[in-house]
Amino acid sequence: MTEIRGPLDASKHPRFTEPSTFARLPRLDQVSRADVSILGVPFDSGVSYRPGARFGPAHIRASSKLLRPYNPALDVSPFAQRQVADAGDIGVNPFDITEALTTVEHAITDLRKDGSTVLTLGGDHTIALPILRALHRDHGPIAVLHFDAHLDTWDTYFGAPFTHGTPFRRASEEGLIDLERSQHIGIRGPLYGKKDLEDDAVLGFQIIRSDDYETDGVASIVERMRRRLDTGPVYVSVDIDVLDPAHAPGTGTPEAGGMTSRELLNTLRGLVGANIVGADIVEVAPAYDHAEITGIAAAHVAYELLSVLALGS
């Protein structure tokens, strides 16, 4: 068995030195293969309001330098259990969304050829669609567990079918998602009309609202989440604006009344044992961040997902 290569030793290499990789892990070209590949997709041509998520991958990496090897909440050392490596960023066309989606799909397909699970750092939420296209070829319809303030199942913006507000409508229309097992968590804020919710239900999603955390608590929500996901393949998609702007100001479409970072991290820990086949963290826009609040939250989301993957089969 090839020896697992972990992050740099902070007692020998100060955290503010060396080239930036996620959690100071090795690059993909420094290991023979990776069980989990962390891929950056610096793309935000699908945004409808504030731009800047193309700089998200670099910001999340910079904010991950303080992560440590042992996760006491889950009693796991994620970088020792699995070989995790940073695959760098892919270059996507910022002027042609259709071409960009094809590039992302091919990149995910290539990284998964040797059995690697891909954790994607966005970028805007448009990129979830090509990732699901790539995963569907191996797994068939997948349960999408979608953390977000917004449904992202709208039809078009200004006639454009591929935007950060439409990926899960397109995915449902293309037969990529499991209509009986998919779920939104953290939904809140104004909508265009009641029909948004009616359309969303037809597209295959159940909703856990942000306010449910106040009335039901994390444990109850985790129970509902696991009951909905059941036992099949799951894709986890985390839009950082699922957090309240107090916990994630650096994003393009913030909404008041969101989850705390503690609620989100504890919900993600409830995924231990789920069949997670891929994940993303999107919509981090560092130009609107303060003191790395959003970047740190996103880095910890990634860390919990890596910990859950390390505890998987």
Side-chain angles (χ1 to χ4, degrees):
M1 178 180 175
T2 304
E3 182 180 357
I4 291 177
R5 180 171 175 174
L8 290 173
D9 184 344
S11 67
K12 299 177 181 177
H13 304 271
R15 297 183 187 279
F16 44 82
T17 64
E18 310 291 338
S20 288
T21 60
F22 183 83
R24 310 179 83 214
L25 287 159
R27 301 189 314 268
L28 186 56
D29 62 2
Q30 293 176 314
V31 297
S32 58
R33 65 169 298 277
D35 298 299
V36 183
S37 299
I38 298 174
L39 177 68
V41 182
F43 172 85
D44 65 0
S45 299
V47 300
S48 58
Y49 193 48
R50 301 194 303 201
R54 67 183 61 185
F55 301 108
H59 190 59
I60 297 170
R61 288 187 179 101
S63 302
S64 72
K65 291 178 181 291
L66 199 58
L67 292 173
R68 299 178 180 90
Y70 175 65
N71 184 341
L74 291 177
D75 187 23
V76 64
S77 298
F79 308 137
Q81 298 292 110
R82 298 284 190 272
Q83 179 63 69
V84 186
D86 195 318
D89 291 347
I90 57 171
V92 291
N93 190 332
F95 304 110
D96 187 325
I97 292 180
T98 301
E99 180 184 319
L101 300 187
T102 300
T103 301
V104 174
E105 182 179 351
H106 289 167
I108 297 294
T109 300
D110 289 344
L111 281 174
R112 297 185 69 253
K113 282 180 179 176
D114 64 355
S116 181
T117 301
V118 182
L119 171 59
T120 306
L121 308 179
D124 77 53
H125 224 150
T126 315
I127 68 173
L129 177 59
I131 296 171
L132 286 169
R133 287 171 174 168
L135 291 171
H136 180 265
R137 283 196 294 273
D138 291 334
H139 298 286
I142 299 166
V144 172
L145 179 62
H146 174 218
F147 292 86
D148 204 322
H150 312 100
L151 300 170
D152 288 1
T153 51
W154 286 286
D155 191 7
T156 62
Y157 285 113
F158 295 91
F162 303 115
T163 76
H164 74 161
T166 68
F168 300 118
R169 178 181 284 260
R170 299 288 90 82
S172 182
E173 291 170 346
E174 294 178 20
L176 308 179
I177 72 170
D178 189 326
L179 304 183
E180 302 299 321
R181 297 173 47 242
S182 294
Q183 187 168 62
H184 304 298
I185 296 183
I187 301 300
R188 64 188 187 276
L191 298 170
Y192 295 105
K194 188 174 181 178
K195 191 173 185 298
D196 293 345
L197 296 172
E198 295 167 350
D199 289 350
D200 187 76
V202 172
L203 293 166
F205 287 91
Q206 284 188 357
I207 296 174
I208 293 176
R209 303 174 194 280
S210 179
D211 286 346
D212 292 341
Y213 279 86
E214 180 72 20
T215 57
D216 299 344
V218 173
S220 174
I221 286 170
V222 167
E223 181 182 353
R224 289 166 60 187
M225 174 183 75
R226 292 304 299 263
R227 188 165 59 246
R228 176 67 173 174
L229 295 177
D230 203 10
T231 59
V234 177
Y235 181 75
V236 183
S237 187
V238 182
D239 185 326
I240 205 64
D241 73 25
V242 73
L243 297 176
D244 189 87
H247 297 263
T251 191
T253 50
E255 302 280 357
M259 296 163 58
T260 67
S261 54
R262 182 170 58 202
E263 289 167 339
L264 176 56
L265 298 180
N266 275 284
T267 305
L268 292 171
R269 290 169 190 150
L271 288 170
V272 170
N275 181 18
I276 297 174
V277 297
D280 67 50
I281 303 160
V282 297
E283 301 287 350
V284 173
Y288 314 104
D289 206 5
H290 309 284
E292 289 189 316
I293 293 172
T294 313
I296 290 167
H300 279 263
V301 167
Y303 184 71
E304 296 301 333
L305 288 168
L306 292 169
S307 297
V308 169
L309 288 169
L311 290 168
S313 56

